[in-house]
């Protein structure tokens, strides 16, 4: 008999007393760990009845809710591969993911069922789940299902999820994450960050992203802990639930917004165990101001969709501002010199490469890009630039690719540029990230107009509304006569950044 090495098997083994609270929602609804097992069994039975089988893909594009999280856990129980999609994506964007991943079942908002059905084969099941998670065909059908389900065994290298990401050129790539990837990372973080059954996580992150779905949720489940589960970041809601929480995970934007609120005091957070930040660089100013205001030192860590978490500042010991700490136990990290792959000594800047049980299997249906992303010895090439200081702390100093991280979400310039260039009146464009006090980086479009068509900033942004999710849309458009290029014709985005910062 094959040993069950699935993530859900480990979650089951770590479960506390089933009467213990697992999740408290904004509307006051409380789910115990026992409720979680019963409801995920019903949803898993519903998904099975819809035709979902082990190894199939389940695509989900819905708003964050308790039930949406239960769909993820139910998917794990069926042995299927979970494919979360940002609910802000337009139908045009979703069409690509559905065509690439070919899911056998898709869960969307009820009002989007008809549109999505037109994008998939007749054999694909489309189910509805409302924004509050209370209604929709998935929910209605699941309540008629048994509260027991025979979990499907999975081996360590079987896929658990596909999360789409991309570089600065080309189409999005589906990152293939295995059971081992997710299990190893969650168990490591549980120990490293000292999660126990007594913890209550203040969860205000999205669950279509590795941070909120895997780093936060899986770690809580591995510890048998609980969550105050908020639909999104809202300062009023954060302060309402802060008093009954012990840990908060967030992106830097969370912390800058809380610092702007007079309710953030030492007394308000005196009971908290730890504040954790990731998904984008935390400014040293935010780090020091938070300490002065709260007596808490934010714990910053570093990870990627392809690798889960890679490094973390220590729970006990110096959490050094401007760094992301040390490689996690079992994770190897090195700094190399460009394409040559030669390792660099401490203090030298180069490309970060990692190897370990946390690193993905590769990219879905993209064998050539998978090969290009790994060294022959198994190290994954992150594309991030960094250095290791004399004490072993890892510092991220930039990105080899021109990724823009706005509000903790990845924006890939080429994807935005393609849409901008298609707008009448635009000759060519280049998208860059510029510093922003709230978002970290603001998506900025530098545009060359066609000589015979007039278009302004407002018109251009409006033209993108139906083509790009809001977080990808430019916050600012700067018009220039020409884009700076090198001798090979490549746009020199470093010069564009320098120029735009002077405006």
């Amino acid at each position: 008999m094959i040993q069950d090495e699935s993530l859900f098997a480990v979650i089951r083994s770590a479960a506390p007393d089933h009467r213990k609270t697992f999740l408290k929602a904004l509307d006051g609804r409380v789910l115990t760990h026992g409720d979680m097992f019963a409801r995920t069994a019903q949803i898993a039975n519903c998904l099975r009845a819809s035709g979902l089988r082990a190894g199939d893909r389940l695509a989900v594009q819905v708003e964050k809710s308790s039930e949406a999280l239960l769909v993820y856990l139910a998917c794990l129980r069926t042995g299927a591969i979970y494919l979360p999609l940002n609910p802000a994506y337009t139908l045009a964007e979703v069409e690509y993911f559905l065509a690439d991943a070919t899911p056998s079942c898709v869960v969307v908002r009820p009002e989007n069922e008809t549109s999505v059905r037109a994008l998939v084969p007749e054999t694909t099941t489309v189910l509805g789940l409302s924004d509050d998670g209370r209604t929709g065909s998935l929910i209605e059908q699941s309540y008629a299902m048994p509260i027991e389900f025979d979990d499907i065994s999975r081996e360590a290298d079987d896929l658990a999820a596909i999360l789409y990401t991309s570089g600065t050129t080309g189409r999005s790539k589906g990152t293939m994450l295995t059971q081992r990837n997710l299990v190893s990372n969650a168990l490591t973080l549980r120990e490293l960050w000292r999660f126990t059954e007594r913890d209550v996580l203040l969860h205000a992150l999205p669950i279509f992203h590795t941070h909120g779905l895997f780093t936060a949720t899986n770690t809580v489940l591995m510890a048998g802990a609980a969550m105050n589960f908020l639909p999104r970041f809202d300062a009023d809601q954060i302060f309402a639930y802060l008093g009954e929480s012990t840990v908060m995970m967030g992106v830097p934007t969370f912390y800058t917004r809380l610092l702007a609120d007079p309710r953030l005091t030492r007394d308000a957070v005196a009971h908290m165990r730890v504040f954790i930040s990731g998904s984008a660089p935390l400014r040293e100013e935010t780090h020091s101001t938070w300490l002065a205001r709260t007596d808490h030192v934010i714990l910053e860590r570093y990870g990627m969709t392809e690798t889960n978490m890679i490094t973390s500042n220590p729970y006990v010991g110096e959490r050094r501002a401007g760094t992301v700490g040390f490689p996690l136990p079992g994770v190897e990290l090195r700094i190399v010199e460009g394409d040559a792959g030669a390792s660099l000594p401490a203090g030298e800047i180069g490309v970060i490469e990692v190897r370990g049980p946390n690193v993905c299997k590769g990219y879905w249906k993209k064998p050539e890009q998978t090969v290009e992303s790994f060294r022959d010895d198994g190290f994954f090439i992150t594309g991030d630039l960094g250095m290791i200081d004399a004490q072993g702390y890892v510092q991220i100093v930039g990105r080899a690719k021109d990724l823009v991280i706005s509000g903790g979400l990845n924006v890939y310039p080429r994807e935005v540029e393609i849409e901008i260039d298609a707008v009448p009146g635009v000759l060519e464009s280049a998208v860059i990230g510029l510093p922003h006090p709230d978002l970290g980086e603001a998506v900025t479009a530098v545009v060359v107009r066609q000589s015979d068509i007039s278009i302004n900033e407002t018109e251009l942004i409006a033209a993108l509304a139906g083509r790009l999710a809001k977080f990808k849309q430019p916050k600012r458009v700067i018009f220039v006569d020409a884009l700076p290029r090198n001798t090979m014709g490549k746009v020199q985005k470093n010069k564009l950044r320098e120029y735009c910062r002077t405006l």
Side-chain angles (χ1 to χ4, degrees):
M1 182 177 177
I2 297 174
Q3 180 181 357
D4 189 355
E5 299 176 281
S6 70
L7 172 60
F8 200 84
V10 182
I11 289 170
R12 184 180 288 282
S13 69
D17 185 325
H18 281 204
R19 295 169 296 181
K20 185 180 181 297
T21 296
F22 163 58
L23 182 151
K24 182 177 180 181
L26 184 62
D27 60 6
R29 182 185 180 194
V30 175
L31 291 176
T32 65
H33 281 262
D35 295 331
M36 180 272 286
F37 283 110
R39 284 296 293 136
T40 55
Q42 289 183 308
I43 296 170
N45 279 309
C46 181
L47 294 173
R48 171 60 62 85
S50 78
L52 189 72
R53 296 292 183 266
D56 288 350
R57 275 74 61 205
L58 171 67
V60 178
Q61 192 200 23
V62 296
E63 291 293 341
K64 182 181 180 182
S65 68
S66 305
E67 284 73 12
L69 186 66
L70 296 178
V71 171
Y72 157 61
L73 297 173
C75 180
L76 294 177
R77 299 185 69 171
T78 68
I81 302 166
Y82 190 69
L83 172 61
L85 297 172
N86 188 337
Y89 283 149
T90 65
L91 190 64
E93 290 169 311
V94 169
E95 183 175 11
Y96 166 74
F97 301 119
L98 298 181
D100 190 63
T102 59
S104 65
C105 184
V106 184
V107 178
V108 295
R109 299 182 185 97
E111 59 268 28
N112 292 341
E113 284 187 62
T114 301
S115 298
V116 171
R117 282 185 196 280
L119 301 179
V120 295
E122 290 183 5
T123 54
T124 302
T125 304
V126 180
L127 297 170
L129 178 63
S130 62
D131 288 353
D132 63 5
R134 296 302 184 94
T135 59
S137 55
L138 173 62
I139 295 302
E140 293 157 8
Q141 294 175 29
S142 70
Y143 276 117
M145 296 291 176
I147 61 171
E148 298 292 338
F149 183 82
D150 291 331
D151 299 343
I152 303 302
S153 295
R154 297 276 83 191
E155 296 185 59
D157 283 332
D158 287 333
L159 295 189
I162 295 175
L163 267 61
Y164 275 85
T165 183
S166 74
T168 54
T169 61
R171 282 297 214 172
S172 296
K173 304 185 293 291
T175 302
M176 299 188 292
L177 297 166
T178 67
Q179 306 286 338
R180 178 188 286 112
N181 294 154
L182 301 185
V183 169
S184 65
N185 221 229
L187 289 175
T188 296
L189 295 178
R190 180 188 69 182
E191 301 306 313
L192 197 69
W193 295 340
R194 303 197 178 183
F195 269 78
T196 72
E197 288 185 24
R198 296 185 297 276
D199 276 310
V200 181
L201 174 69
L202 185 51
H203 194 308
L205 293 160
I207 57 171
F208 59 82
H209 189 276
T210 186
H211 192 169
L213 186 63
F214 300 146
T215 304
T217 304
N218 290 350
T219 304
V220 164
L221 286 162
M222 292 298 184
M227 294 188 287
N228 285 318
F229 203 65
L230 306 183
R232 63 188 59 83
F233 178 88
D234 178 279
D236 291 338
Q237 294 170 9
I238 292 291
F239 283 107
Y241 283 87
L242 195 59
E244 35 184 280
S245 305
T246 63
V247 180
M248 189 177 95
M249 295 186 193
V251 298
T253 300
F254 286 14
Y255 296 103
T256 57
R257 290 179 180 177
L258 290 175
L259 281 169
D261 196 305
R263 290 173 289 184
L264 182 68
T265 64
R266 286 180 176 81
D267 289 342
V269 299
H271 64 287
M272 292 289 287
R273 187 170 67 79
V274 64
F275 291 93
I276 301 170
S277 181
S279 293
L282 185 73
R283 297 170 61 200
E284 292 189 39
E285 180 184 355
T286 303
H287 194 283
S288 58
T289 305
W290 187 271
L291 172 60
R293 184 90 161 267
T294 67
D295 282 340
H296 278 274
V297 180
I298 296 173
L299 189 158
E300 188 172 10
R301 86 304 180 279
Y302 163 58
M304 301 176 65
T305 300
E306 291 93 338
T307 62
N308 297 281
M309 291 306 101
I310 300 171
T311 71
S312 173
N313 269 277
Y315 183 79
V316 176
E318 182 187 1
R319 301 174 193 168
R320 187 170 295 182
T323 79
V324 290
F326 307 100
L328 301 186
V331 175
E332 299 173 77
L333 182 149
R334 68 189 183 192
I335 307 296
V336 305
E337 186 175 9
D339 294 335
S343 294
L344 295 171
E348 293 289 327
I349 295 173
V351 177
I352 298 172
E353 297 184 353
V354 296
R355 182 171 66 183
N358 56 311
V359 178
C360 73
K361 201 170 186 175
Y363 297 112
W364 175 257
K365 295 196 300 187
K366 288 183 168 52
E368 291 182 2
Q369 293 186 33
T370 296
V371 170
E372 291 170 358
S373 298
F374 286 86
R375 299 287 185 188
D376 291 341
D377 58 3
F379 273 83
F380 176 77
I381 305 166
T382 69
D384 288 327
L385 298 174
M387 60 172 283
I388 302 174
D389 68 19
Q391 289 73 45
Y393 286 83
V394 178
Q395 182 179 356
I396 311 298
V397 300
R399 289 182 291 278
K401 298 178 181 179
D402 293 311
L403 176 69
V404 179
I405 301 179
S406 184
L409 298 175
N410 291 352
V411 180
Y412 301 97
R414 186 59 188 152
E415 185 179 12
V416 182
E417 288 162 359
I418 289 171
E419 298 298 339
I420 293 174
D421 291 349
V423 175
V426 173
L427 179 63
E428 60 178 349
S429 65
V431 169
I432 59 175
L434 293 179
H436 189 281
D438 187 22
L439 299 173
E441 288 185 313
V443 179
T444 305
V446 184
V447 174
V448 179
R449 294 186 182 98
Q450 293 179 359
S451 59
D452 57 340
I453 303 177
S454 176
I455 186 170
N456 60 35
E457 181 177 38
T458 302
E459 292 168 342
L460 179 55
I461 293 175
L464 300 173
R467 302 298 305 173
L468 292 168
K470 191 171 180 60
F471 71 89
K472 298 180 185 178
Q473 296 171 25
K475 299 294 181 290
R476 186 181 178 190
V477 178
I478 298 170
F479 293 96
V480 296
D481 294 331
L483 298 177
R485 298 178 184 275
N486 63 17
T487 55
M488 297 298 292
K490 184 177 180 180
V491 175
Q492 296 173 300
K493 291 192 174 181
N494 58 326
K495 291 188 176 182
L496 282 180
R497 293 187 191 97
E498 292 171 5
Y499 168 76
C500 293
R501 285 170 180 163
T502 65
L503 299 179

